[in-house]
Amino acid sequence: MDGLELVKLFHADPSLIYEYVIETYELIRKVEDSIKSYITLKPLDEVLKECKIVSDKIKDGFKGRLAGLLIAVKDVISTKGLLTTCGSKMLSNYIPPYDATVIERVSAEGGIIIGKTNMDEFAMGSTTENSAFFITRNPWDLSRVPGGSSGGSATAVSAYEATISLGSDTGGSVRLPASYTGTVGVKPTYGLVSRYGLISYGTSLEQVGPIVRDVSDAALILSVLSGHDPRDSTSLKVEAVDYTTFLKPIPLKKYRVAIIKECINEGVDSSVLSSFNKSIYRLENEGFEVSEVSIPIIRYALPTYYIIAMAEASSNLSRYDGIRYGYHVDVENKLWDEAYTESRSYGFGLEVKKRILLGTFVLSAGYYDQYYLKASKVRKLLYDEFSRILSHYDVVITPTAPSLPPRIGEAISDPMKLYLSDIYTATVNLIGLPAMSIPADIVNDLPVGIQLIGPRLSEGSLINIAYIHEVKSGLKNLIPTAVRPYV
Ligand code: GLN
């Protein structure tokens, strides 16, 4: 049963919420040791108290859209009174004094925060191996990574340890782990979902996005998360939309699909390519008009992304000096720069340090024009190119990732391979467009995802297309190998 159906059940009989929570904790007890989705899991009795509050409210007529659903939250999103580490030693004892807007919205609809999920440190990575605490494993194959950086959020949902999860997507961190775990992940239009309370990595690139087990739940949670927030200066002034109205098994208009030639070339695994083609046939059979387009400049998207992301990271992370924010060292008899150095040397991991250094370099006098300014120009060209394509087409479809989930240790030892996993996802972050990853196939018991990209604020159409694909493929609420013995 998905979240949308569960909520209907809970509205009719709120006592079922307790049963659901207890069953979920039972499953967590069985699988969590081998998967390790959570950095912080709320104790069962605390969650049961929250269930009581929600179920009492339902008895008084409350019709919360997420009433009784268990929401897992990436540890980069601020939760009042609940440890929020960003996967870093720097924030290993940070308890935020306030909730992010997305947390307020979820709670106002009766969603129950169950815990905080593991991630690559400060959301820098694609495998969840860069967490300062431990790695998270893919529930489809425990010897493989779940993708990242929102790996814990993806595995919590994929392994039925939560109903819905929230991640953040700066260059693919929601869509890549969704693709690797057989779930649905959405990167909303920039500004559609509030970033207030999201700890910043690449401010101009990122959005909070949900990871769920089917398209209906994507529509449900997106309806709750989206809408204007005066506390986020980049928030769009748009009315909230009920995306569940787009859950129709027939096309709501005649969709024209573009496939980017450069995204289905020799760099893609043959199994990913054949899964991709299967998905395209499914849509063609539903009357979608499919054409191939060429966007040669797309080959510059990934380096452009990494220059801009690192530049923004170096600036955003400068606040962690151990005095204003972050891991505090004993400052007695130390000069300020010694105290800063000690705190930052201890608090940050290798990947984060590398990015701060590179980011500072590309912004420094003498190099700014060569790197940051040039990247900003390419960003504008990419924007123009996609605007042109999307004035003729409703959706662009690409594989979400060029390969199947790598084995643990494989990508992390080869930074080029690590960065290449974002090759199809990072473009939309540069230009603010919405995109989602949906399951396209299962190959040798491993999931493969495809990515749908639309014009600004086209989330409704993307949901409609994803839903049609889901109905035709039957790929929803998938049960990964590690969970099968228990359901
Ligand atoms: N893997 C990409 C990076 O490391 C994307 C991360 C993200 O989206 N947060 O920057």
Side-chain angles (χ1 to χ4, degrees):
M1 218 179 285
D2 63 25
L4 204 57
E5 291 162 329
L6 280 172
V7 169
K8 279 192 200 125
L9 218 63
F10 296 159
H11 283 169
D13 179 359
S15 71
L16 295 173
I17 299 176
Y18 297 95
E19 244 173 75
Y20 176 60
V21 169
I22 289 167
E23 268 174 29
T24 304
Y25 268 80
E26 192 52 31
L27 188 62
I28 291 175
R29 199 178 56 75
K30 291 177 181 142
V31 300
E32 177 63 4
D33 275 353
S34 48
I35 298 172
K36 295 193 102 29
S37 306
Y38 289 102
I39 293 178
T40 304
L41 178 68
K42 281 191 187 165
L44 175 60
D45 51 350
E46 198 177 307
V47 170
L48 287 175
K49 276 187 209 143
E50 293 179 40
C51 290
K52 173 147 179 16
I53 297 172
V54 174
S55 82
D56 286 351
K57 273 168 75 178
I58 295 177
K59 285 180 203 147
D60 289 340
F62 174 64
K63 284 268 177 282
R65 285 179 287 174
L66 305 177
L69 302 188
L70 294 170
I71 318 293
V73 179
K74 185 178 184 182
D75 222 13
V76 67
I77 298 174
S78 305
T79 42
K80 187 175 176 175
L82 191 60
L83 188 69
T84 299
T85 67
C86 251
S88 180
K89 283 196 278 187
M90 191 54 109
L91 293 177
S92 56
N93 58 2
Y94 172 55
I95 299 182
Y98 69 102
D99 272 330
T101 297
V102 289
I103 300 297
E104 283 181 0
R105 292 198 174 170
V106 161
S107 306
E109 294 293 341
I112 298 171
I113 308 298
I114 177 173
K116 303 296 293 286
T117 57
N118 197 24
M119 56 183 281
D120 290 301
E121 184 174 3
F122 283 101
M124 299 176 191
S126 309
T127 60
T128 316
E129 291 166 292
N130 274 338
S131 164
F133 307 116
F134 46 82
I135 63 167
T136 296
R137 290 170 186 271
N138 192 321
W140 290 84
D141 176 347
L142 295 172
S143 72
R144 290 176 192 267
V145 302
S149 63
S150 316
S153 287
T155 58
V157 160
S158 155
Y160 292 74
E161 298 179 289
T163 334
I164 287 174
S165 69
L166 303 184
S168 68
D169 191 311
T170 312
S173 278
V174 159
R175 288 159 287 153
L176 184 69
S179 164
Y180 283 178
T181 59
T183 50
V184 174
V186 186
K187 198 295 274 181
T189 303
Y190 188 77
L192 182 66
V193 174
S194 169
R195 286 187 301 110
Y196 178 78
L198 170 69
I199 297 175
S200 296
Y201 157 24
T203 318
S204 76
L205 305 161
E206 61 210 3
Q207 280 285 285
V208 170
I211 303 179
V212 286
R213 285 186 295 263
D214 70 7
V215 178
S216 307
D217 282 358
L220 170 67
I221 182 74
L222 202 59
S223 310
V224 172
L225 298 178
S226 58
H228 181 61
D229 177 12
R231 293 182 297 190
D232 171 0
S233 61
T234 58
S235 167
L236 296 172
K237 292 206 173 58
V238 289
E239 292 295 313
V241 173
D242 180 0
Y243 294 105
T244 60
T245 57
F246 292 89
L247 297 170
K248 300 280 182 322
I250 43 153
L252 292 173
K253 60 185 270 204
K254 182 136 183 65
Y255 290 115
R256 290 154 309 170
V257 177
I259 297 173
I260 307 175
K261 199 170 107 202
E262 288 78 8
C263 295
I264 43 171
N265 56 21
E266 7 18 285
V268 187
D269 274 12
S270 59
S271 51
V272 171
L273 211 51
S274 66
S275 302
F276 176 80
N277 288 334
K278 260 199 224 167
S279 284
I280 298 296
Y281 290 138
R282 271 182 207 121
L283 293 175
E284 271 178 338
N285 284 339
E286 293 312 297
F288 288 58
E289 205 180 279
V290 181
S291 326
E292 203 172 281
V293 298
S294 173
I295 311 186
I297 193 183
I298 203 159
R299 59 194 279 251
Y300 299 113
L302 196 67
T304 302
Y305 164 78
Y306 272 102
I307 289 171
I308 289 174
M310 291 186 194
E312 294 189 8
S314 76
S315 159
N316 275 322
L317 271 55
S318 63
R319 73 190 66 171
Y320 303 104
D321 53 23
I323 295 174
R324 291 172 303 164
Y325 297 97
Y327 172 78
H328 185 68
V329 294
D330 186 5
V331 290
E332 190 121 6
N333 298 323
K334 280 189 192 112
L335 294 174
W336 66 269
D337 57 335
E338 288 168 351
Y340 278 19
T341 306
E342 212 175 294
S343 149
R344 288 167 76 81
S345 305
Y346 171 84
F348 290 137
L350 269 183
E351 181 68 24
V352 173
K353 283 180 190 154
K354 181 167 86 189
R355 294 192 189 200
I356 292 173
L357 288 175
L358 286 170
T360 310
F361 173 75
V362 299
L363 288 174
S364 57
Y367 294 103
Y368 180 89
D369 290 8
Q370 257 179 57
Y371 294 101
Y372 188 76
L373 190 64
K374 201 181 249 176
S376 303
K377 288 179 181 165
V378 176
R379 187 177 194 176
K380 171 71 169 69
L381 292 175
L382 280 165
Y383 178 87
D384 292 345
E385 197 57 8
F386 268 82
S387 302
R388 190 180 62 78
I389 300 280
L390 287 167
S391 65
H392 301 293
Y393 299 93
D394 304 287
V395 62
V396 171
I397 306 189
T398 71
T400 307
S403 58
L404 296 170
R407 292 200 185 275
I408 288 165
E410 199 182 319
I412 201 93
S413 57
D414 177 357
M416 219 30 225
K417 183 155 186 177
L418 188 72
Y419 293 168
L420 275 175
S421 45
D422 305 315
I423 190 151
Y424 304 133
T425 49
T427 309
V428 300
N429 299 77
L430 289 167
I431 55 183
L433 301 181
M436 66 195 287
S437 177
I438 56 174
D441 203 0
I442 310 282
V443 175
N444 299 332
D445 218 12
L446 286 174
V448 181
I450 50 163
Q451 173 177 236
L452 315 179
I453 301 171
R456 261 174 106 243
L457 298 174
S458 65
E459 278 81 355
S461 301
L462 295 186
I463 296 245
N464 180 220
I465 298 168
Y467 188 71
I468 294 166
H469 182 273
E470 183 181 88
V471 169
K472 291 296 144 195
S473 66
L475 294 167
K476 65 170 196 165
N477 296 314
L478 303 174
I479 304 178
T481 331
V483 179
R484 271 174 224 154
Y486 309 113
V487 291

